[in-house]
Amino acid sequence: MQQANESTTPATEEAPAPPGKATRPSKYSPADTATIAERVRSARIAANKTQQQLAENTYFKSYISAVERGKMVPSVQALGVLAGRLGLPVSFFLGESDADLSMLTESAALPPSEQHRQAREDAVVLLLGEAEYALRQRQQDEALKLVGTEEPPEDLAALHRPRWYWLKGWALILKKFHNEAISTLEKGLSVTEALRAQAPQSQRGHLAEMAEQLRLALGSAYAELRQVELAVEYHRRGLQAVTDGMVSDPELKLRIYVALGHDYLLLGRYQEAARLYDAAKEQVNEVVNPLAQPAIYWGLTLTHQEAGDLIRARMSVQKALLAEELQDNVVLSAQLRSLFGQILVQLGKFE
């Protein structure tokens, strides 16, 4: 049986190789809406901002009020803007991660000169949020423009610098500049580990997860270069971090499972690949990612197909198609149907 090759990667909105979080849906569940409302209000109050200050010139004060009361649901882009102004990740507002809001209170009490510096830093953090949004839309050129310089901007606080390296590395992977991506990500990992060693306890969890984001990206870059054994080393470190409880972000856990499963698939280690994809299946319900389930079943389909278990391969691709038909992704749907056809031919189901 031939080992899987580059054609095993589906053309989703995000290829499995890049480390960034997947595109979020434009609509949220009622539970998501309530969480967003509560957390926007809590973060705004902690930051000592009025609704008008949070709205700035982009939105009306009444819009912020409606969001905080759960009467209005912000778009993905709007939520990213609000998150950037409050200096918190989007995942916090969706209830996927936690944050120390006392840090916002402390920054709000700064003297005017420090508040000015904080405003410059917030502007840079907002640019990073816009860069991440661009990457989710696979607009890597736009993301690189937003990330900008060869090194993190001077106004960017040390705690946010790992994210800058991660975003730049992700953009370079999407541009297929894999060696440059590896150089950037390795430096980012070194910076992150040094910060983590000196950081107060309240910041170490965040830095630990950023280190795993960078490792995941490094492994993905090596996998793209077909240096799969190196990819496995990085992704297994990530799996160990999940096992040790160092990773709380459910989507990061899922991406580690999928990335390592893909590595094992490329190496022909099909039982281990299936085990990782099964672990991802158990995690998928905790993640707001419409493409996660079809991507996992895609991997399982290829794993079973390469292992010669065509019955399970057919079952997996049917489940992938069932999940994907709820979304409007014509390219992935066509790829899955093509794969389904190949499996039916192998089964002798020519009709």
Side-chain angles (χ1 to χ4, degrees):
M1 187 67 62
Q2 273 191 327
Q3 287 191 8
N5 52 39
E6 288 182 315
S7 65
T8 64
T9 303
T12 60
E13 288 295 318
E14 273 185 340
K21 292 185 176 182
T23 304
R24 297 191 182 280
S26 58
K27 296 182 180 179
Y28 306 108
S29 69
D32 290 330
T33 302
T35 300
I36 291 169
E38 177 186 347
R39 294 201 169 195
V40 168
R41 183 175 184 276
S42 298
R44 178 184 62 78
I45 292 172
N48 198 27
K49 287 180 180 286
T50 65
Q51 290 179 341
Q52 185 59 62
Q53 287 172 329
L54 181 57
E56 295 186 6
N57 294 326
T58 313
Y59 308 107
F60 291 110
K61 175 186 173 183
S62 58
Y63 173 77
I64 302 299
S65 175
V67 168
E68 292 185 355
R69 289 182 289 116
K71 301 298 184 183
M72 180 76 72
V73 183
S75 67
V76 177
Q77 189 170 15
L79 188 58
V81 171
L82 298 180
R85 289 175 183 172
L86 292 167
L88 293 167
V90 172
S91 59
F92 167 77
F93 295 97
L94 290 171
E96 297 175 357
S97 65
D98 292 317
D100 183 2
L101 297 186
S102 64
M103 295 172 62
L104 301 181
T105 305
E106 291 168 6
S107 65
L110 295 172
S113 60
E114 278 298 297
Q115 288 185 13
H116 183 61
R117 183 200 61 76
Q118 185 70 50
R120 295 199 309 271
E121 180 184 318
D122 289 346
V124 177
V125 172
L126 180 57
L127 284 179
L128 294 185
E130 292 176 2
E132 184 172 346
Y133 180 81
L135 286 171
R136 296 187 192 289
Q137 307 303 310
R138 297 186 69 81
Q139 298 171 0
Q140 51 268 29
D141 290 325
E142 178 64 20
L144 283 172
K145 288 179 185 177
L146 291 165
V147 170
T149 57
E150 292 299 317
E151 296 292 334
E154 291 183 3
D155 289 329
L156 189 62
L159 185 63
H160 296 295
R161 295 192 173 205
R163 187 183 179 204
W164 182 92
Y165 286 107
W166 169 55
L167 291 172
K168 183 156 189 180
W170 178 6
L172 290 169
I173 289 174
L174 289 178
K175 290 281 288 182
K176 306 296 182 183
F177 298 156
H178 298 116
N179 289 320
E180 291 180 43
I182 288 169
S183 176
T184 298
L185 293 164
E186 284 180 341
K187 186 170 183 179
L189 184 57
S190 176
V191 167
T192 305
E193 294 291 17
L195 286 171
R196 186 179 164 202
Q198 302 173 10
Q201 192 64 38
S202 61
Q203 296 177 1
R204 289 183 183 176
H206 166 74
L207 290 169
E209 289 205 340
M210 278 308 311
E212 298 314 319
Q213 291 279 21
L214 288 158
R215 283 196 185 92
L216 179 60
L218 275 164
S220 298
Y222 280 117
E224 288 285 316
L225 289 172
R226 319 310 290 171
Q227 299 181 36
V228 186
E229 294 289 356
L230 275 173
V232 168
E233 288 184 25
Y234 282 105
H235 292 154
R236 286 185 67 182
R237 284 284 301 272
L239 182 62
Q240 188 61 52
V242 172
T243 302
D244 292 343
M246 296 170 61
V247 176
S248 60
D249 182 344
E251 193 156 10
L252 178 55
K253 291 180 184 178
L254 183 143
R255 295 183 70 80
I256 289 170
Y257 294 145
V258 171
L260 188 53
H262 190 61
D263 294 342
Y264 286 148
L265 172 59
L266 291 172
L267 291 172
R269 295 162 62 173
Y270 303 124
Q271 287 187 344
E272 292 165 286
R275 179 173 57 83
L276 268 297
Y277 285 126
D278 284 338
K281 278 188 344 189
E282 294 178 8
Q283 188 70 35
V284 76
N285 290 333
E286 299 183 37
V287 174
V288 184
N289 180 349
L291 295 178
Q293 193 168 32
I296 291 166
Y297 281 116
W298 174 287
L300 275 171
T301 299
L302 292 169
T303 299
H304 294 315
Q305 183 187 31
E306 295 292 328
D309 191 342
L310 297 177
I311 300 300
R312 287 189 179 180
R314 182 175 67 177
M315 291 171 59
S316 294
V317 75
Q318 285 176 313
K319 289 179 180 178
L321 280 166
L322 181 62
E324 177 54 25
E325 283 173 353
L326 301 177
Q327 313 303 326
D328 187 22
N329 190 314
V330 177
V331 175
L332 180 55
S333 181
Q335 287 183 312
L336 287 168
R337 291 180 186 283
S338 174
L339 180 58
F340 193 10
Q342 293 173 29
I343 292 168
L344 290 175
V345 168
Q346 288 178 286
L347 285 167
K349 306 288 186 181
F350 301 110
E351 68 280 8

